[in-house]
Amino acid sequence: MEQFSNSIVDISYQQTGAATAVNPLGMREMQALAYEHRNKRFLLIKAPPASGKSRALMFIALDKLEHQGIKKVVVAVPEKSIGRSFKNTNLVNGGFFANWEVPPYFNLTDVKNEQDKKGRFKEFFLSSKAKVLVCAHATLRNATKELSDDTFDDVLLAIDEFHHTSADANSNLGDVVRRVMNNSTGHIVAMTGSYFRGDGIPVLRAEDEARFFPVTYNYYQQLNGYKYLKNLILGYHFYHGSYLDHIGEVLDTHKKTIIHIPSVNQRAATGLGKYQETADIMKVIGTLDHKDYNTGIYYITTDDGRTLKVADLVEDEQKERNMVQAYLQNIKDRNDVDIIIALGTAKEGFDWQWCEMCLTVGVRGSLTEVIQIIGRCTRDCEGKETARFVNMIAMPDAEQAEVKVAVNDFLKAITASLLMEQVMAPSWKFKSVKDEDDGKDDLTHTIVVEGLKPLSSEKTKTIVESQLDDLKAAVLQNDMMVKALSGSTTAETITQHLIPKIIRERYPDLSDEEIEEVRQRLLLDTIVKGTDIVNEKGEPISTIPNGNDDEQPSEGNRLIKIANRFVNIDKLSINLIDTINPFQRAYEVISKSVDAKTLKVIQDTIAEQKYDMTLEQAITLFKGPLKEYVAAHDGKVPSVDDPDPKVRELAIALQKIKNLKQRKLSGLEYEE
């Protein structure tokens, strides 16, 4: 069968080595940049995956412990597997004054010790000797409910993947941040590789963000300074039918690969269930030789006689899952694992430096998720010249012009995100008729539902507004749900009986009325966010139709609908598509070559459009303040990432003028 795949972006870099070279203190470029501002009480580090944020935190935290009066350090990560990024690290050999050490008892992400994590968290503050604790976000949220605000006096709170916080008043993690900022003498280091949220809610309130000192280091700086990695390729592979029949067309078993299969509620799912899909993928890889029951790793022999080590992170059984995660946390060699199959894990913060390819099945509704997955394969590593992200999508049934616009919009959104620009997508909010006239929401993204029960308690409001994604994942991964969805169980049985049972198990203190309120929101969130509801013009529909599944967009067309969700992308008037070649009912879309120079042009264009500055104003600044600034700083030009807004304004003026020339030289075409 003829293969249909296409490279959407091919980015080349200069390989200067600056991003991975170290200074006399053992710090890489980004780490040294952050360390310069170690005395700031609130520090926000925005840098891509693999740039070294974890070690940057170690340097800053040790300085605060030694020289700034900080008594303890608490590091919070989204999931346990990411805790390995903060394991004991020898920094003295690199030239620093101390090593990073985490007492095993207070490493609450160690899967070997799951006992009373909340109790050990509280015990940490009573210990006179313990200085560092590492825990999951969930542990931080739960334990701090029972602690007073002054517990964090003279404590550094470091939050990894900071975009999990939210300015929303009901965000528990956001509440912890606000408590430390406003009611204690504690310090905060916030770290994120994607400073935006997929739900459109700001990470921080504007007044809170203004109190943070930002350190920004983007993909252009990182990848341009790599020593080994030459280029990043982003591509789409369109297919008919089941993805299992076509995954062999794009899976290169010679590449170290993470495969993300779709969740059971995605249209790309086959209906066979996640365990059967995992087993079928293993058959595509080769023939099972044996399974190591001490590590959980599968040994599979390929058709050409090679033996590959495959890790299954789709497995739900706790003992088995912990065993595999423990193995992955301790891999030290390129040959320790070859392919990882995952569903909801192995995304943000997952560190596997040898990963060369991320193969993702199904349209991802969250740009945050896409960027995090891309980050899994962009670590610099000897022997790795090319990193690839390939997204398998069902062939869209759409006009060629529509596909071109959608892919170009998606490409611009990804490119802007790689440059650490905040690209937001609107969030859907559901209201009962009783709530309709409260006037608080943007009705463009509000759906009024007839018969929807109002949220009657703070408990249900908290679940719906800050825990719904976690609840959805728990429901969809529940063994009973998996069996029901893969069998002949009726939809009524699933929605009316099975889902309430799972909600009750997770929240035993809810009343029947409260369970019904949560159940309704869960179903709405799954239906609407899974497939955006729009009319034929692509405009949001404010009331859910009573139609059937035939009215929902196909998996392929979701790419087009999702591209429409990104805001402000239309202001970036750059056409990154080179050619479109028709193939059956879909299209092969090839982008222009986006090398480091062109990526810089895109960055400058985005920066310029953040300011409403005329060319005349730019010329005025160029002739006066800009020349004075350059003269006063020994020829150094101002940066658009400078914390000083006046300096950023000078940088924008410079870019405004330079862009006129650069755009012509780059060969980029601009949309009308």
PDB file of all heavy atoms in Angstrom, residues 351-370:
ATOM      1  N   ASP A 351      11.766  12.313  31.157  1.00  0.00           N
ATOM      2  CA  ASP A 351      13.138  12.516  30.702  1.00  0.00           C
ATOM      3  C   ASP A 351      13.706  11.217  30.133  1.00  0.00           C
ATOM      4  O   ASP A 351      14.005  10.283  30.869  1.00  0.00           O
ATOM      5  CB  ASP A 351      13.992  13.011  31.882  1.00  0.00           C
ATOM      6  CG  ASP A 351      15.433  13.270  31.473  1.00  0.00           C
ATOM      7  OD1 ASP A 351      15.734  13.182  30.268  1.00  0.00           O
ATOM      8  OD2 ASP A 351      16.257  13.573  32.358  1.00  0.00           O
ATOM      9  N   TRP A 352      13.816  11.150  28.826  1.00  0.00           N
ATOM     10  CA  TRP A 352      14.466  10.038  28.135  1.00  0.00           C
ATOM     11  C   TRP A 352      15.295  10.652  27.018  1.00  0.00           C
ATOM     12  O   TRP A 352      14.817  10.856  25.921  1.00  0.00           O
ATOM     13  CB  TRP A 352      13.422   9.066  27.591  1.00  0.00           C
ATOM     14  CG  TRP A 352      13.990   7.853  26.912  1.00  0.00           C
ATOM     15  CD1 TRP A 352      15.202   7.263  27.140  1.00  0.00           C
ATOM     16  CD2 TRP A 352      13.364   7.088  25.874  1.00  0.00           C
ATOM     17  NE1 TRP A 352      15.370   6.184  26.316  1.00  0.00           N
ATOM     18  CE2 TRP A 352      14.256   6.048  25.536  1.00  0.00           C
ATOM     19  CE3 TRP A 352      12.133   7.181  25.211  1.00  0.00           C
ATOM     20  CZ2 TRP A 352      13.948   5.106  24.546  1.00  0.00           C
ATOM     21  CZ3 TRP A 352      11.834   6.247  24.231  1.00  0.00           C
ATOM     22  CH2 TRP A 352      12.732   5.216  23.908  1.00  0.00           C
ATOM     23  N   GLN A 353      16.530  10.975  27.306  1.00  0.00           N
ATOM     24  CA  GLN A 353      17.345  11.786  26.409  1.00  0.00           C
ATOM     25  C   GLN A 353      17.577  11.131  25.051  1.00  0.00           C
ATOM     26  O   GLN A 353      17.807  11.807  24.052  1.00  0.00           O
ATOM     27  CB  GLN A 353      18.690  12.098  27.059  1.00  0.00           C
ATOM     28  CG  GLN A 353      19.603  10.885  27.225  1.00  0.00           C
ATOM     29  CD  GLN A 353      20.843  11.194  28.032  1.00  0.00           C
ATOM     30  OE1 GLN A 353      20.825  11.268  29.245  1.00  0.00           O
ATOM     31  NE2 GLN A 353      21.951  11.393  27.327  1.00  0.00           N
ATOM     32  N   TRP A 354      17.488   9.800  24.983  1.00  0.00           N
ATOM     33  CA  TRP A 354      17.764   9.106  23.727  1.00  0.00           C
ATOM     34  C   TRP A 354      16.538   9.059  22.806  1.00  0.00           C
ATOM     35  O   TRP A 354      16.642   8.561  21.688  1.00  0.00           O
ATOM     36  CB  TRP A 354      18.254   7.683  24.010  1.00  0.00           C
ATOM     37  CG  TRP A 354      19.578   7.678  24.715  1.00  0.00           C
ATOM     38  CD1 TRP A 354      20.814   7.897  24.173  1.00  0.00           C
ATOM     39  CD2 TRP A 354      19.795   7.479  26.121  1.00  0.00           C
ATOM     40  NE1 TRP A 354      21.796   7.841  25.141  1.00  0.00           N
ATOM     41  CE2 TRP A 354      21.199   7.578  26.353  1.00  0.00           C
ATOM     42  CE3 TRP A 354      18.967   7.223  27.204  1.00  0.00           C
ATOM     43  CZ2 TRP A 354      21.754   7.433  27.619  1.00  0.00           C
ATOM     44  CZ3 TRP A 354      19.520   7.078  28.468  1.00  0.00           C
ATOM     45  CH2 TRP A 354      20.905   7.181  28.658  1.00  0.00           C
ATOM     46  N   CYS A 355      15.400   9.539  23.255  1.00  0.00           N
ATOM     47  CA  CYS A 355      14.190   9.498  22.435  1.00  0.00           C
ATOM     48  C   CYS A 355      14.394  10.290  21.144  1.00  0.00           C
ATOM     49  O   CYS A 355      14.752  11.467  21.168  1.00  0.00           O
ATOM     50  CB  CYS A 355      13.002  10.068  23.208  1.00  0.00           C
ATOM     51  SG  CYS A 355      11.473  10.099  22.253  1.00  0.00           S
ATOM     52  N   GLU A 356      14.146   9.640  20.013  1.00  0.00           N
ATOM     53  CA  GLU A 356      14.322  10.267  18.699  1.00  0.00           C
ATOM     54  C   GLU A 356      12.999  10.588  18.017  1.00  0.00           C
ATOM     55  O   GLU A 356      12.957  11.417  17.111  1.00  0.00           O
ATOM     56  CB  GLU A 356      15.123   9.332  17.784  1.00  0.00           C
ATOM     57  CG  GLU A 356      16.514   9.015  18.284  1.00  0.00           C
ATOM     58  CD  GLU A 356      17.147   7.883  17.510  1.00  0.00           C
ATOM     59  OE1 GLU A 356      16.876   6.711  17.829  1.00  0.00           O
ATOM     60  OE2 GLU A 356      17.912   8.180  16.562  1.00  0.00           O
ATOM     61  N   MET A 357      11.927   9.906  18.436  1.00  0.00           N
ATOM     62  CA  MET A 357      10.660  10.070  17.736  1.00  0.00           C
ATOM     63  C   MET A 357       9.484   9.940  18.696  1.00  0.00           C
ATOM     64  O   MET A 357       9.472   9.060  19.559  1.00  0.00           O
ATOM     65  CB  MET A 357      10.540   9.007  16.633  1.00  0.00           C
ATOM     66  CG  MET A 357       9.259   9.072  15.825  1.00  0.00           C
ATOM     67  SD  MET A 357       9.282   7.827  14.500  1.00  0.00           S
ATOM     68  CE  MET A 357       7.730   8.137  13.685  1.00  0.00           C
ATOM     69  N   CYS A 358       8.523  10.843  18.548  1.00  0.00           N
ATOM     70  CA  CYS A 358       7.254  10.736  19.269  1.00  0.00           C
ATOM     71  C   CYS A 358       6.167  10.496  18.233  1.00  0.00           C
ATOM     72  O   CYS A 358       5.935  11.331  17.357  1.00  0.00           O
ATOM     73  CB  CYS A 358       6.967  12.008  20.059  1.00  0.00           C
ATOM     74  SG  CYS A 358       8.065  12.245  21.475  1.00  0.00           S
ATOM     75  N   LEU A 359       5.520   9.362  18.318  1.00  0.00           N
ATOM     76  CA  LEU A 359       4.454   8.992  17.391  1.00  0.00           C
ATOM     77  C   LEU A 359       3.134   9.052  18.156  1.00  0.00           C
ATOM     78  O   LEU A 359       2.890   8.262  19.067  1.00  0.00           O
ATOM     79  CB  LEU A 359       4.700   7.584  16.846  1.00  0.00           C
ATOM     80  CG  LEU A 359       3.624   6.970  15.953  1.00  0.00           C
ATOM     81  CD1 LEU A 359       3.275   7.890  14.797  1.00  0.00           C
ATOM     82  CD2 LEU A 359       4.086   5.606  15.442  1.00  0.00           C
ATOM     83  N   THR A 360       2.312  10.019  17.798  1.00  0.00           N
ATOM     84  CA  THR A 360       1.073  10.283  18.534  1.00  0.00           C
ATOM     85  C   THR A 360      -0.128  10.005  17.647  1.00  0.00           C
ATOM     86  O   THR A 360      -0.211  10.509  16.528  1.00  0.00           O
ATOM     87  CB  THR A 360       1.044  11.750  19.016  1.00  0.00           C
ATOM     88  OG1 THR A 360       2.182  11.980  19.848  1.00  0.00           O
ATOM     89  CG2 THR A 360      -0.214  12.043  19.801  1.00  0.00           C
ATOM     90  N   VAL A 361      -1.063   9.217  18.155  1.00  0.00           N
ATOM     91  CA  VAL A 361      -2.242   8.838  17.381  1.00  0.00           C
ATOM     92  C   VAL A 361      -3.438   9.690  17.807  1.00  0.00           C
ATOM     93  O   VAL A 361      -3.745   9.804  18.993  1.00  0.00           O
ATOM     94  CB  VAL A 361      -2.572   7.347  17.576  1.00  0.00           C
ATOM     95  CG1 VAL A 361      -3.791   6.969  16.749  1.00  0.00           C
ATOM     96  CG2 VAL A 361      -1.372   6.484  17.212  1.00  0.00           C
ATOM     97  N   GLY A 362      -4.106  10.299  16.826  1.00  0.00           N
ATOM     98  CA  GLY A 362      -5.309  11.076  17.097  1.00  0.00           C
ATOM     99  C   GLY A 362      -5.028  12.553  17.267  1.00  0.00           C
ATOM    100  O   GLY A 362      -3.928  12.957  17.666  1.00  0.00           O
ATOM    101  N   VAL A 363      -6.031  13.372  16.962  1.00  0.00           N
ATOM    102  CA  VAL A 363      -5.908  14.821  17.118  1.00  0.00           C
ATOM    103  C   VAL A 363      -5.891  15.169  18.595  1.00  0.00           C
ATOM    104  O   VAL A 363      -6.737  14.700  19.357  1.00  0.00           O
ATOM    105  CB  VAL A 363      -7.077  15.543  16.422  1.00  0.00           C
ATOM    106  CG1 VAL A 363      -7.010  17.037  16.663  1.00  0.00           C
ATOM    107  CG2 VAL A 363      -7.053  15.249  14.929  1.00  0.00           C
ATOM    108  N   ARG A 364      -4.936  15.958  18.995  1.00  0.00           N
ATOM    109  CA  ARG A 364      -4.847  16.397  20.382  1.00  0.00           C
ATOM    110  C   ARG A 364      -5.511  17.760  20.516  1.00  0.00           C
ATOM    111  O   ARG A 364      -5.132  18.710  19.829  1.00  0.00           O
ATOM    112  CB  ARG A 364      -3.378  16.479  20.820  1.00  0.00           C
ATOM    113  CG  ARG A 364      -2.659  15.147  20.674  1.00  0.00           C
ATOM    114  CD  ARG A 364      -3.157  14.129  21.699  1.00  0.00           C
ATOM    115  NE  ARG A 364      -3.013  12.745  21.235  1.00  0.00           N
ATOM    116  CZ  ARG A 364      -2.898  11.707  22.053  1.00  0.00           C
ATOM    117  NH1 ARG A 364      -2.898  11.891  23.351  1.00  0.00           N
ATOM    118  NH2 ARG A 364      -2.813  10.492  21.568  1.00  0.00           N
ATOM    119  N   GLY A 365      -6.502  17.862  21.384  1.00  0.00           N
ATOM    120  CA  GLY A 365      -7.256  19.096  21.517  1.00  0.00           C
ATOM    121  C   GLY A 365      -6.520  20.184  22.252  1.00  0.00           C
ATOM    122  O   GLY A 365      -6.899  21.349  22.196  1.00  0.00           O
ATOM    123  N   SER A 366      -5.459  19.830  22.981  1.00  0.00           N
ATOM    124  CA  SER A 366      -4.714  20.802  23.766  1.00  0.00           C
ATOM    125  C   SER A 366      -3.360  21.074  23.127  1.00  0.00           C
ATOM    126  O   SER A 366      -2.573  20.148  22.910  1.00  0.00           O
ATOM    127  CB  SER A 366      -4.513  20.279  25.192  1.00  0.00           C
ATOM    128  OG  SER A 366      -3.542  21.041  25.874  1.00  0.00           O
ATOM    129  N   LEU A 367      -3.082  22.319  22.829  1.00  0.00           N
ATOM    130  CA  LEU A 367      -1.778  22.670  22.280  1.00  0.00           C
ATOM    131  C   LEU A 367      -0.688  22.424  23.323  1.00  0.00           C
ATOM    132  O   LEU A 367       0.440  22.059  22.982  1.00  0.00           O
ATOM    133  CB  LEU A 367      -1.774  24.137  21.843  1.00  0.00           C
ATOM    134  CG  LEU A 367      -0.513  24.613  21.126  1.00  0.00           C
ATOM    135  CD1 LEU A 367      -0.278  23.826  19.852  1.00  0.00           C
ATOM    136  CD2 LEU A 367      -0.615  26.096  20.814  1.00  0.00           C
ATOM    137  N   THR A 368      -1.029  22.607  24.590  1.00  0.00           N
ATOM    138  CA  THR A 368      -0.078  22.310  25.664  1.00  0.00           C
ATOM    139  C   THR A 368       0.413  20.879  25.549  1.00  0.00           C
ATOM    140  O   THR A 368       1.608  20.597  25.670  1.00  0.00           O
ATOM    141  CB  THR A 368      -0.740  22.508  27.040  1.00  0.00           C
ATOM    142  OG1 THR A 368      -1.364  23.780  27.088  1.00  0.00           O
ATOM    143  CG2 THR A 368       0.274  22.387  28.156  1.00  0.00           C
ATOM    144  N   GLU A 369      -0.505  19.965  25.316  1.00  0.00           N
ATOM    145  CA  GLU A 369      -0.146  18.549  25.213  1.00  0.00           C
ATOM    146  C   GLU A 369       0.771  18.301  24.018  1.00  0.00           C
ATOM    147  O   GLU A 369       1.757  17.557  24.122  1.00  0.00           O
ATOM    148  CB  GLU A 369      -1.417  17.703  25.095  1.00  0.00           C
ATOM    149  CG  GLU A 369      -1.156  16.210  25.056  1.00  0.00           C
ATOM    150  CD  GLU A 369      -2.428  15.389  24.987  1.00  0.00           C
ATOM    151  OE1 GLU A 369      -3.522  15.988  24.891  1.00  0.00           O
ATOM    152  OE2 GLU A 369      -2.331  14.154  25.009  1.00  0.00           O
ATOM    153  N   VAL A 370       0.480  18.930  22.887  1.00  0.00           N
ATOM    154  CA  VAL A 370       1.318  18.764  21.697  1.00  0.00           C
ATOM    155  C   VAL A 370       2.743  19.223  21.965  1.00  0.00           C
ATOM    156  O   VAL A 370       3.712  18.525  21.653  1.00  0.00           O
ATOM    157  CB  VAL A 370       0.723  19.532  20.502  1.00  0.00           C
ATOM    158  CG1 VAL A 370       1.688  19.518  19.312  1.00  0.00           C
ATOM    159  CG2 VAL A 370      -0.618  18.932  20.093  1.00  0.00           C
TER     160      VAL A 370
END
